[in-house]
Amino acid sequence: MPSKILTRLISEALLPAVLLVVAKVIGVLVLVKSFSIAWQLNTSSLLPDFVLHDKAATVFVNSYSNLIVFVVVIIGLAWVLTKAYHFHDTHIKPSLILQLLSWNLTGLMTSSHEVYNKGVVWISYMWLVVLLIGVHTFLQATYLWVFVFALVASLVATWYFVADVEREVGER
Amino acid sequence: MKHVTNVVLMAFFLGLLVLPVVGVGSLVSLSDFEGFVAGANTVTGEDVNIIPNVQNFNGYVEFAPSEIADGVYRDEVGVTSFQRQRATYRGLYTVYNVSDNKTVSLQLISTGLTGASDAYESLIVSLGDGDYTNALATDVAAGSAVIPVNNTSYYGVGDYVYLGTELAQVVEIGAQELVVEPLKQDHVVGETVYPQSIVVTADALVHPQTQSFILGPGERVQVHVVVQGTASLLKQDQMLHLPLEFRLTEVE
């Protein structure tokens, strides 16, 4: 019998995986179009990549497209945190339950399993993206401020997530 | 069996986390930046001499050369476009590999011309020594995928050749022919076939980079520019300025 937790984690990871790649592709395309940056799609390697013909343009496009990817991840995690803080069935306010019932939105109420499965997936993606931005910053292919912003935002988001876990553990 | 299944699931989950991020990280080519970490040797002015030809063009060309920095040599070269004429600047630069033991890859890149778009129909920058172009051996009709040439040594699979006003990607190289994606235009015998080159027209930067040219120790290659002037120049000749980057990387 395969682990239910692993199966659940895999199913939760599919959507963010697709979103990450789509955000990067759209980000790069929007930036090169908006700023009329010359580019080519190199299809000769295993993974096709965008080749920009100027180092400064590469840093610019790579920095802002990485930022777009990070913002997408942080929005996903923010949604999970919102559900954890306000719609978590173990500590949702009774008045909010009544409101949700009246609006027929009880589907927003979330179990601990769902919150923590989603949370683990989004937090993992967030820190992997921070690691990626860090490597790019080390290579001088991404602006330092993008890395600093991502690092600080990730620390804050992680602190909020851990605080919700602690509250949950404390109630048991 | 249960443990094996779970280990496989765990590996799949980790792959699902890591692979999209790796994909995101490699979507923009960072080949120029990787040497920073790898400690790869950068090509310097001690390895390669780039000599602008200031003698042979009698005031019709201008250079604004720089030093080689981080494996890149930048120049804004001025070439004159003549009314209704094709001006060929052969050997505008000569690039020598003067190192004892380094093999160097050279590629030219440009972001296109600045201004004066009504002064020329096309501007082509190529790398090569001797006969670097070919003349079409026979007529070629639109829809054909074969370009008959005499010399295939300057072409590689995946390169973009330029003939007439059409860019075509090479998919295969025969003894005396290039197999390309089906051509969209008719081409007549004698038309020039350029190896992968920087191609600029009045409307657009058609192709931004030349082929990569490998230079062993002691070898050299030249840069050639061809400018087709328009019939409607306000002056009989007009200087066009093209930013050029010579990208030099050491080949293992």
Side-chain angles (χ1 to χ4, degrees):
Chain A
M1 185 74 177
S3 160
K4 281 184 183 171
I5 291 178
L6 279 172
T7 316
R8 181 78 64 84
L9 285 172
I10 288 169
S11 68
E12 295 289 359
L14 290 172
L15 176 67
V18 173
L19 278 178
L20 252 63
V21 177
V22 169
K24 179 76 178 188
V25 172
I26 291 176
V28 172
L29 288 174
V30 167
L31 287 163
V32 295
K33 278 278 173 200
S34 304
F35 294 92
S36 303
I37 295 168
W39 63 282
Q40 271 191 313
L41 190 63
N42 170 27
T43 53
S44 60
S45 55
L46 184 64
L47 292 172
D49 55 6
F50 294 90
V51 181
L52 310 177
H53 304 294
D54 179 86
K55 201 167 180 176
T58 303
V59 176
F60 172 78
V61 170
N62 196 48
S63 298
Y64 281 94
S65 58
N66 280 347
L67 187 63
I68 290 167
V69 170
F70 181 76
V71 167
V72 166
V73 174
I74 213 81
I75 288 172
L77 184 60
W79 174 236
V80 174
L81 288 174
T82 304
K83 289 179 97 174
Y85 271 77
H86 300 293
F87 303 110
H88 200 160
D89 58 7
T90 58
H91 45 257
I92 188 169
K93 289 178 185 166
S95 57
L96 185 55
I97 296 177
L98 291 174
Q99 272 190 334
L100 291 176
L101 278 169
S102 66
W103 294 334
N104 204 18
L105 286 174
T106 48
L108 285 175
M109 286 172 60
T110 312
S111 67
S112 296
H113 271 298
E114 189 184 340
V115 163
Y116 297 135
N117 284 331
K118 280 187 162 59
V120 164
V121 165
W122 282 102
I123 281 217
S124 303
Y125 276 122
M126 181 185 70
W127 280 108
L128 283 169
V129 170
V130 171
L131 181 67
L132 171 79
I133 293 173
V135 170
H136 282 188
T137 304
F138 180 66
L139 291 171
Q140 300 179 346
T142 292
Y143 303 132
L144 179 63
W145 67 263
V146 175
F147 174 64
V148 172
F149 169 77
L151 185 65
V152 172
S154 299
L155 288 170
V156 171
T158 305
W159 186 85
Y160 273 103
F161 185 71
V162 170
D164 186 68
V165 174
E166 280 193 340
R167 184 161 60 159
E168 175 78 7
V169 172
E171 282 176 3
R172 289 190 175 180
Chain B
M1 186 63 192
K2 179 185 166 188
H3 293 306
V4 174
T5 309
N6 286 338
V7 167
V8 170
L9 281 176
M10 177 66 89
F12 185 74
F13 175 59
L14 290 176
L16 196 56
L17 287 178
V18 172
L19 287 179
V21 179
V22 171
V24 163
S26 59
L27 257 170
V28 174
S29 173
L30 301 179
S31 54
D32 287 350
F33 300 84
E34 282 155 7
F36 179 75
V37 159
N41 289 332
T42 307
V43 177
T44 67
E46 291 182 5
D47 305 314
V48 171
N49 287 348
I50 298 175
I51 316 286
N53 189 339
V54 293
Q55 286 104 23
N56 294 349
F57 299 111
N58 197 26
Y60 291 110
V61 299
E62 288 176 359
F63 300 97
S66 62
E67 299 293 320
I68 296 174
D70 293 331
V72 178
Y73 171 92
R74 292 184 175 82
D75 198 347
E76 180 155 314
V77 62
V79 289
T80 304
S81 174
F82 297 92
Q83 192 174 27
R84 294 193 185 88
Q85 291 181 45
R86 177 195 281 193
T88 301
Y89 299 91
R90 281 188 73 95
L92 196 58
Y93 297 86
T94 305
V95 181
Y96 296 94
N97 181 347
V98 293
S99 70
D100 293 332
N101 51 12
K102 283 187 180 176
T103 299
V104 173
S105 168
L106 167 68
Q107 185 175 43
L108 265 61
I109 289 175
S110 180
T111 50
L113 277 166
T114 47
S117 64
D118 58 345
Y120 67 102
E121 287 179 1
S122 66
L123 185 149
I124 301 165
V125 183
S126 311
L127 280 176
D129 247 352
D131 292 327
Y132 69 100
T133 61
N134 272 280
L136 263 188
T138 60
D139 288 346
V140 179
S144 172
V146 176
I147 301 175
V149 294
N150 295 319
N151 177 5
T152 59
S153 59
Y154 281 110
Y155 307 92
V157 172
D159 282 0
Y160 286 86
V161 297
Y162 190 68
L163 66 165
T165 57
E166 182 170 9
L167 204 62
Q169 189 170 25
V170 177
V171 293
E172 199 180 320
I173 296 175
Q176 286 199 310
E177 63 184 28
L178 305 172
V179 181
V180 296
E181 290 172 342
L183 295 165
K184 297 184 178 69
Q185 301 170 3
D186 293 329
H187 299 277
V188 295
V189 62
E191 205 170 79
T192 305
V193 183
Y194 292 90
Q196 180 164 300
S197 303
I198 296 169
V199 181
V200 192
T201 65
D203 300 327
L205 176 61
V206 177
H207 197 262
Q209 61 196 19
T210 66
Q211 61 187 271
S212 292
F213 204 97
I214 304 298
L215 291 170
E219 292 182 339
R220 67 160 216 180
V221 68
Q222 290 189 308
V223 178
H224 314 285
V225 176
V226 177
V227 185
Q228 178 64 54
T230 59
S232 57
L233 280 183
L234 293 176
K235 293 193 300 177
Q236 279 205 325
D237 50 73
Q238 198 160 329
M239 186 75 82
L240 309 172
H241 289 94
L242 181 75
L244 274 182
E245 279 189 14
F246 294 61
R247 299 202 162 199
L248 299 151
T249 47
E250 187 179 353
V251 179
E252 295 298 327

